[in-house]
Amino acid sequence: MKKILLFLLILPAFISAQKKWSDPSISVKDLKAHLYYLASDDMKGRFSGSPEERIAADYIRNQFESYGLEPLFDGNYFQDFPFVERLELTSNNSAELNINEHKVSLKINEDFTTVSFSGRSKLKAPLVFAGYGISSANLEYDDYKSIDVKDKIVIILRDHPEHDSAHSEFDRYASLRSKASIARDKGAAGIIFVNGYFPSDDDNLVELRYDGAPAINDFPVIQVKRNIIENLFRANNLDLKAIQKKIDSTKQGNPVELKNCTAEIQTEVKEIISSARNVGGLLKSKSGSDEYIVVGAHFDHLGIDQLKSSSMYRGSDRQIHNGADDNASGTSAMLELAEALAANQPELKRNIIFLAFSGEELGILGSTYFTNNSPVPLDKIIAMVNMDMVGRLNEENSLTVIGAGTSSAWKPLLNEKNKYDLKLTFDDAGTGGSDHQAFSNKNIPVLFFFTGTHSDYHKPSDDADKINYEGEKKIVSYIFDVINGIDKLEEKPDYVKVEAPTNRRIGKSRVYVGTVPEFGYNGEGYKLSGVTDGSPAAKAGLMSGDIIIRFGAQKISNIYDFMRAMAEYKPGDQVEVAVLRDGKEMKFIVDLVAK
């Protein structure tokens, strides 16, 4: 009964804050109403799949209905999609060491933890030590040289031997996934990670966090506290700290077989699947056109502490991340455009789809799901306009437009419609880490409007009172004119593929292939959303939808394996690439070129 009374007390606050009046003009009053509602503490950061995400989605749907937009998804405004919300360790996680017939049982989350991408497995095997677990012909470095790890559990140091260098070629091989894949490919039965003494003496266990790729099937991966691993070394008259120092100074591996030492490991990580939802409304043209313009913005954010890894807040207390600029500002802009364009419906030549995406903060999941499950043919979508963080226009009136090179029609149109004294900066590529990228990956021209990052980005302090509402009104008015300009184009705008800058977060390589990843894919292999026109991948015959399962001799289970495999090649090399296409394995020869 108390819960019911609490809900009834909270409900009027939600209702009273909503915009319930009709005003087709683009106004500060409307923008404030939308933004203060969506970025209120009551929304608890609008994390994908949360009850508050549903409340926000209902609000957007209600606005669409009030503007006269039709449901986009077969009579429904909502498009639900699954995603991995978090990971949990089941009760089937245990570790026991046997040192000279003395058994040591380890406590989960105290002595050891299971690593997030560990496969489900149970095994008992002898132990070996293989330094940092790196094997690279390019680096002329091999921690596995002169040791047989087949069917054994390998103990591996985290980091790499050049940990004091700000820019080391070893960086690309230092990730736990990369090391686990190498160990698996070498025939190891499993892997135990341990923190070394350098570059830091800390001995923290890794966080259980989903990294966007599937687990390594049937391959257990754990981390054990250093003091416990030291006991194994002492039992073999070895000094872990001295060995690490030697590897670091000589840049030579120092593998060791740990005699009379075995480990019994059981691992099981459970993916907790949740459901998020996109919201879509359709504004039909009276002309009978079968072409569409998509106008979109994501409405999800970081929640409270559901996405700690993405938050820039370093406090230990739980804080609501309201996401006023990111991206209640873009959602409010999209709603204002929907209302204004709906009032202008008789003048429209083409249909307009309005989309509020969820799952953007998790890796453009909602927009990727939409482009893979679109209710209209993708070749009939002539343009996608995206707004993400458009609420902090500065005194210089600086506005960045990303995707300005994805059609030859864009820059003349953008300049022509700039009657608002905006200082425009153009970025040609259709990438940029927001929802427009899902459309650019499908060869659809895109425009992404963005006022820039700031000190409140991904912090609890990104609140509605810091929005420049007059500035956002100016931007929305400008985008309104741009959309009308697109609508009035005589011909469908051409699509120009622009190569994006290299993504350095996963790793780096000297060669260029030209593949585009399928965001949100959680199966085995590296799935392609597309290939760049004229790239080595395109010339070889690779296509959107292909799943790369082997690159040369390297098995590919995920994008991390693919990046690691690329790092071993140089420009001019040829490599055989095996893919699954419609369930059938096919092989292609790719001629690698310089990046």
Side-chain angles (χ1 to χ4, degrees), residues 100-345:
N100 293 326
E101 299 184 357
H102 174 65
K103 292 184 177 181
V104 180
S105 296
L106 308 186
K107 295 180 180 179
I108 188 71
N109 296 326
E110 185 175 325
D111 300 322
F112 85 102
T113 189
T114 300
V115 177
S116 60
F117 53 82
S118 174
R120 183 173 180 269
S121 183
K122 184 177 183 180
L123 64 88
K124 181 178 181 180
L127 294 168
V128 295
F129 171 73
Y132 288 101
I134 295 172
S135 178
S136 169
N138 281 341
L139 297 178
E140 297 182 353
Y141 181 93
D142 191 359
D143 277 310
Y144 289 89
K145 187 177 180 180
S146 75
I147 192 167
D148 179 17
V149 300
K150 185 172 175 56
D151 298 328
K152 298 172 184 176
I153 297 172
V154 187
I155 298 174
I156 297 293
L157 289 165
R158 296 179 65 185
D159 217 289
H160 61 73
E162 290 186 349
H163 43 69
D164 291 331
S165 173
H167 303 285
S168 171
E169 288 296 310
F170 280 92
D171 286 341
R172 72 182 75 167
Y173 303 96
S175 75
L176 301 189
R177 261 197 184 271
S178 175
K179 293 181 178 187
S181 294
I182 290 173
R184 175 202 63 193
D185 294 345
K186 296 286 185 182
I191 192 168
I192 295 175
F193 285 111
V194 60
N195 289 317
Y197 290 90
F198 316 102
S200 170
D201 197 37
D202 292 340
D203 192 23
N204 299 320
L205 295 174
V206 296
E207 180 185 353
L208 187 70
R209 179 169 60 85
Y210 180 62
D211 66 0
I216 302 178
N217 290 335
D218 305 320
F219 190 79
V221 183
I222 68 171
Q223 181 194 352
V224 174
K225 284 282 194 174
R226 187 172 55 226
N227 66 303
I228 296 170
I229 298 300
E230 284 173 330
N231 292 333
L232 293 171
F233 277 69
R234 292 193 191 101
N236 281 264
N237 298 313
L238 298 169
D239 185 329
L240 177 61
K241 188 173 185 178
I243 290 174
Q244 185 184 14
K245 273 187 175 180
K246 182 180 178 182
I247 297 173
D248 292 352
S249 62
T250 64
K251 301 297 186 293
Q252 297 291 325
N254 191 358
V256 175
E257 186 170 349
L258 298 169
K259 297 178 181 179
N260 300 316
C261 294
T262 61
E264 188 168 354
I265 300 173
Q266 184 176 17
T267 56
E268 186 176 52
V269 180
K270 183 180 180 181
E271 294 181 347
I272 306 302
I273 306 298
S274 186
S275 176
R277 63 178 32 165
N278 297 324
V279 191
L282 173 62
L283 180 60
K284 280 189 175 179
S285 165
K286 302 292 186 181
S287 70
S289 171
D290 63 351
E291 293 184 333
Y292 301 83
I293 300 168
V294 171
V295 179
H298 78 89
F299 71 100
D300 65 302
H301 195 53
L302 306 185
I304 301 176
D305 58 0
Q306 295 97 322
L307 271 180
K308 288 181 180 178
S309 60
S310 295
S311 174
M312 303 298 288
Y313 178 64
R314 295 297 174 256
S316 58
D317 56 328
R318 300 176 78 239
Q319 291 273 344
I320 298 173
H321 290 64
N322 285 321
D325 190 31
D326 185 16
N327 186 36
S329 69
T331 305
S332 300
M334 184 270 296
L335 290 173
E336 278 294 87
L337 289 167
E339 186 173 22
L341 287 163
N344 197 39
Q345 184 179 24

Side-chain angles (χ1 to χ4, degrees), residues 35 38 44 61 80 96 165 180 185 187 252 387 507 537 584:
L35 234 148
L38 292 169
K44 297 181 181 178
R61 183 232 10 232
D80 291 353
E96 183 178 88
S165 173
D185 294 345
Q252 297 291 325
M387 293 154 291
K584 181 180 179 181

Side-chain angles (χ1 to χ4, degrees), residues 317-548:
D317 56 328
R318 300 176 78 239
Q319 291 273 344
I320 298 173
H321 290 64
N322 285 321
D325 190 31
D326 185 16
N327 186 36
S329 69
T331 305
S332 300
M334 184 270 296
L335 290 173
E336 278 294 87
L337 289 167
E339 186 173 22
L341 287 163
N344 197 39
Q345 184 179 24
E347 307 299 322
L348 295 177
K349 286 180 58 178
R350 295 175 168 98
N351 309 296
I352 303 182
I353 292 171
F354 296 93
L355 284 168
F357 301 109
S358 191
E360 191 272 352
E361 300 288 3
L362 297 167
I364 63 170
L365 299 186
S367 51
T368 298
Y369 187 86
F370 176 85
T371 56
N372 288 332
N373 301 273
S374 173
V376 302
L378 290 181
D379 62 359
K380 295 298 182 181
I381 298 176
I382 69 163
M384 192 276 177
V385 176
N386 182 38
M387 293 154 291
D388 192 346
M389 297 177 64
V390 291
R392 296 288 191 99
L393 189 67
N394 60 23
E395 292 180 357
E396 289 76 32
N397 285 336
S398 301
L399 179 65
T400 298
V401 186
I402 295 171
T406 58
S407 175
S408 62
W410 284 171
K411 289 178 184 176
L413 178 63
L414 290 165
N415 286 321
E416 175 195 340
K417 299 299 180 182
N418 184 16
K419 300 173 182 176
Y420 301 89
D421 196 30
L422 293 166
K423 183 181 178 182
L424 301 177
T425 298
F426 295 148
D427 185 328
D428 287 348
T431 55
S434 188
D435 293 299
H436 62 284
Q437 187 169 342
F439 291 80
S440 181
N441 288 348
K442 301 296 186 181
N443 295 339
I444 296 169
V446 298
L447 290 171
F448 165 31
F449 296 90
F450 173 58
T451 53
T453 57
H454 43 76
S455 60
D456 299 308
Y457 174 70
H458 278 196
K459 292 180 181 178
S461 53
D462 181 11
D463 288 326
D465 60 354
K466 296 181 180 177
I467 297 298
N468 178 353
Y469 289 97
E470 290 291 346
E472 180 161 354
K473 176 188 173 184
K474 182 183 294 188
I475 291 170
V476 177
S477 299
Y478 172 56
I479 297 173
F480 177 85
D481 292 346
V482 170
I483 293 171
N484 272 313
I486 297 171
D487 180 59
K488 298 299 186 290
L489 291 173
E490 290 298 324
E491 301 291 335
K492 175 182 177 180
D494 60 338
Y495 174 73
V496 179
K497 191 80 171 183
V498 181
E499 184 60 26
T502 305
N503 184 347
R504 300 286 182 180
R505 291 182 302 169
I506 296 174
K508 56 185 178 180
S509 68
R510 297 172 295 172
V511 298
Y512 167 64
V513 179
T515 61
V516 180
E518 178 75 69
F519 294 101
Y521 175 69
N522 196 35
E524 187 76 7
Y526 167 48
K527 187 174 183 180
L528 307 184
S529 173
V531 294
T532 302
D533 293 343
S535 67
K539 290 177 180 178
L542 273 65
M543 298 169 53
S544 173
D546 285 347
I547 302 173
I548 297 178

